Amino acid sequence: MDGTRSKNGDETRAIGPEVDVLVVGAGPAGSAAAAWAARAGRNVLLVDMAEFPRDKTCGDGLTPRAIEELDRLGLSNWVLQHPTTKGVHVFFGWEKGQRVAWPKGSFPRYGSVVTRTELDHRLTQVAEESGASLLLGHRAHAARREEGRIVEVELRSTSDERPVLVKPRTVLVADGVRSRFGALLGRQWHRDTVYGTAVRAFMRVDEQWEWLVTHLGLSTPEGDHLPGYGWLFPLGDSRGNGEVDDSPGFLLNVGVILYAAAKHPANTSLKPLLDHYLAEARGRFGLRGEPMQVKSALLPLGGAVSPVAGPNWMLLGDAAGCVNPFTGEGIDYALETGRFAVEHLDEADHSASWPHRLNYEYGSMFSASRRIARGFFKPKAFEAVGGAVIRSPHAMDATVRLMANLVSPSDKGPLTGLARIGGTLSQRRDAHRPFFPLAEADPPVPQPL
Ligand SMILES: Cc1cc2nc3c(=O)[nH]c(=O)nc-3n(C[C@H](O)[C@H](O)[C@H](O)COP(=O)(O)OP(=O)(O)OC[C@H]3O[C@@H](n4cnc5c(N)ncnc54)[C@H](O)[C@@H]3O)c2cc1C
């Protein structure tokens, strides 16, 4: 092959068939990985089957953990041009609510809400500005492997199916929740632990809010209780994904997430649940108009996939199941895993080191929260615990910190130790430890990196 051509603003430049790093998927995980790899001096090709800007079904909420990664990428000022949030206004039922400010600790004390149309486009620009080549409208279609190593990847143009062959030294697979390219490499999703199905839409209100609003527990129009939560996230004067109408007011991203597991399948359609949630919220929160751009998607949660690596490839972000089992948020983990993967590029073989790294970073939190999330399937216990927690500001503060994974090992205090010990004990009982197939050996001892 005599090279393909990459878009870089108005310029095009030739990319040889041989690249140091091929990144498949230009969501937050792929763009962050491409940016960090290019900054580390690698020759990087970032490929996505979509043309950007593109929509991505999401709640658009950025936790302080995500803000920290965007800061590292140099986007602090850009983030501050968007609405910022002070914390979460958590409701249990419709009457009992409490505001919990983003906690003190090592993370920034604010969050934000930015449409994925805008965020992901900006991140592809950051990757290009860092020196990566961007090839859009191309799908990673097939991989040729020798002894597990990917030696050649066939990309296909989504417009005319024209093939482009790339010979990468390393492949970073950031192709999202369904991870079809990951599946070619043997990736399996283990549905024995909790997973989510979620639907989002856009609506309007008359005022800009400074708090994320969530309602724990869902109910059907018939009054049955279901495991999950609803959200109303303030997008300010954003134009959403660019396809919403242009009536006045401030935009909200609204949605519901329903939890399920192999033994607790979600047999309920999401759209009626969303409609019911919004009907309840409309008068109380001043929602206007009809929901726009209603879209749903699956969420594998808590590292419930394996294998996440081979000799010269690593799975990142949603492809690696890096989504918080309590909240369903994963932009922060996508950005982080993009950065972490680049720290491993010099290794001869990633097959063992990458699952251990992911497990070191997230294993204990994901394992414990997957286990606790099973409580969602016991409505009476959930109501008893939730009703007690919502009455205590301290308990709420601790719960939000744990649920949003805003407990960093560098933070002092009993909560940090409790989270680590609880997670380690939980992993010992896991059939599938996060990022590993069926447990065959003792949990790995975390090694400082
Ligand atoms: C309804 C809903 C609400 C959510 N709300 C939140 C929230 O409020 N906050 C939060 O932090 N997280 C939220 N999440 C989770 C969040 O959306 C994901 O964790 C995040 O998008 C993961 O980023 P990623 O880069 O791994 O994958 P993605 O963002 O999915 O990007 C994957 C990219 O890969 C491309 N691709 C796929 N296959 C190929 C291929 N073969 N070749 C080339 N390109 C390919 C796709 O076009 C896409 O651009 C939500 C998810 C859902 C479904």
Side-chain angles (χ1 to χ4, degrees):
M1 188 193 83
D2 57 353
T4 182
R5 305 198 77 77
S6 109
K7 262 199 233 176
N8 185 358
D10 292 335
E11 300 167 32
T12 58
R13 63 173 181 265
I15 312 160
E18 286 170 15
V19 292
D20 293 336
V21 182
L22 170 67
V23 185
V24 177
S31 287
W36 289 115
R39 290 176 190 188
R42 314 291 167 141
N43 165 13
V44 182
L45 176 60
L46 171 62
V47 62
D48 201 291
M49 61 188 190
E51 296 285 350
F52 282 57
R54 60 104 179 86
D55 184 26
K56 153 79 178 82
T57 307
C58 188
D60 302 335
L62 297 171
T63 63
R65 204 178 176 109
I67 300 290
E68 179 164 277
E69 284 305 306
L70 295 170
D71 286 348
R72 284 181 205 266
L73 285 165
L75 290 175
S76 313
N77 291 336
W78 182 84
V79 169
L80 290 172
Q81 291 162 16
H82 298 84
T84 53
T85 56
K86 292 181 170 171
V88 197
H89 196 164
V90 186
F91 285 83
F92 193 74
W94 287 99
E95 309 309 329
K96 289 178 255 172
Q98 207 172 116
R99 284 184 171 167
V100 184
W102 295 122
K104 286 188 200 140
S106 54
F107 295 105
R109 291 205 73 189
Y110 64 95
S112 185
V113 189
V114 182
T115 63
R116 295 295 299 279
T117 308
E118 204 187 337
L119 176 73
D120 291 16
H121 188 219
R122 183 71 192 100
L123 286 168
T124 59
Q125 292 170 339
V126 169
E128 281 199 293
E129 287 156 13
S130 303
S133 297
L134 178 64
L135 183 65
L136 299 177
H138 281 72
R139 183 178 70 249
H141 175 74
R144 188 161 66 78
R145 284 193 284 171
E146 288 175 6
E147 294 173 6
R149 297 185 80 79
I150 299 175
V151 292
E152 190 173 75
V153 174
E154 182 185 331
L155 310 175
R156 289 255 179 110
S157 159
T158 49
S159 55
D160 59 11
E161 289 293 309
R162 191 172 58 89
V164 174
L165 297 181
V166 181
K167 294 178 193 300
R169 192 172 300 160
T170 307
V171 184
L172 300 180
V173 184
D175 59 348
V177 68
R178 294 195 179 270
S179 191
R180 296 219 163 87
F181 189 75
L184 292 178
L185 304 171
R187 175 213 193 246
Q188 288 186 342
W189 173 13
H190 312 297
R191 296 192 193 207
D192 49 340
T193 54
V194 65
Y195 63 90
T197 56
V199 57
R200 77 97 219 259
F202 299 106
M203 289 188 80
R204 286 218 170 72
V205 283
D206 288 329
E207 289 172 11
Q208 168 58 2
W209 304 351
E210 292 181 311
W211 296 81
L212 301 176
V213 173
T214 63
H215 291 87
L216 304 183
L218 293 173
S219 58
T220 64
E222 295 74 36
D224 296 329
H225 294 290
L226 293 175
Y229 72 88
W231 73 80
L232 309 168
F233 289 175
L235 275 161
D237 55 6
S238 157
R239 303 319 300 166
N241 62 351
E243 293 173 36
V244 296
D245 67 33
D246 55 3
S247 61
F250 294 92
L251 210 63
L252 296 181
N253 181 313
V254 300
V256 295
I257 178 168
L258 180 65
Y259 295 104
K263 287 188 186 156
H264 303 275
N267 293 325
T268 315
S269 309
L270 286 172
K271 181 65 173 49
L273 270 186
L274 177 71
D275 289 343
H276 183 61
Y277 173 65
L278 295 176
E280 296 267 12
R282 182 179 286 274
R284 293 175 168 97
F285 290 88
L287 309 186
R288 283 203 280 105
E290 292 307 310
M292 294 173 276
Q293 297 292 312
V294 182
K295 285 192 188 167
S296 60
L298 275 172
L299 291 114
L301 304 170
V305 299
S306 68
V308 291
N312 69 337
W313 52 270
M314 292 176 255
L315 263 49
L316 318 179
D318 273 14
C322 289
V323 182
N324 184 319
F326 281 135
T327 60
E329 43 91 22
I331 298 171
D332 37 13
Y333 305 111
L335 295 166
E336 284 180 352
T337 54
R339 177 166 58 86
F340 297 155
V342 172
E343 295 171 14
H344 289 256
L345 287 178
D346 284 333
E347 291 166 355
D349 191 325
H350 309 302
S351 313
S353 61
W354 186 237
H356 279 83
R357 173 71 190 263
L358 292 178
N359 192 273
Y360 172 74
E361 298 288 345
Y362 308 128
S364 57
M365 187 276 172
F366 281 0
S367 171
S369 32
R370 286 187 334 195
R371 197 171 295 280
I372 297 168
R374 284 191 210 154
F376 295 152
F377 302 122
K378 296 179 181 136
K380 284 199 176 134
F382 178 68
E383 272 188 40
V385 174
V389 168
I390 199 89
R391 282 193 286 274
S392 156
H394 291 302
M396 273 304 292
D397 190 63
T399 305
V400 168
R401 279 186 74 187
L402 288 171
M403 287 180 80
N405 199 10
L406 295 174
V407 184
S408 151
S410 61
D411 292 338
K412 299 210 166 35
L415 206 57
T416 312
L418 188 71
R420 177 64 80 175
I421 293 166
T424 306
L425 293 176
S426 172
Q427 287 218 66
R428 294 231 165 102
R429 297 172 58 91
D430 278 346
H432 289 108
R433 297 193 309 273
F435 312 108
F436 287 94
L438 272 176
E440 288 146 3
D442 287 330
V445 179
Q447 298 294 327
L449 289 150

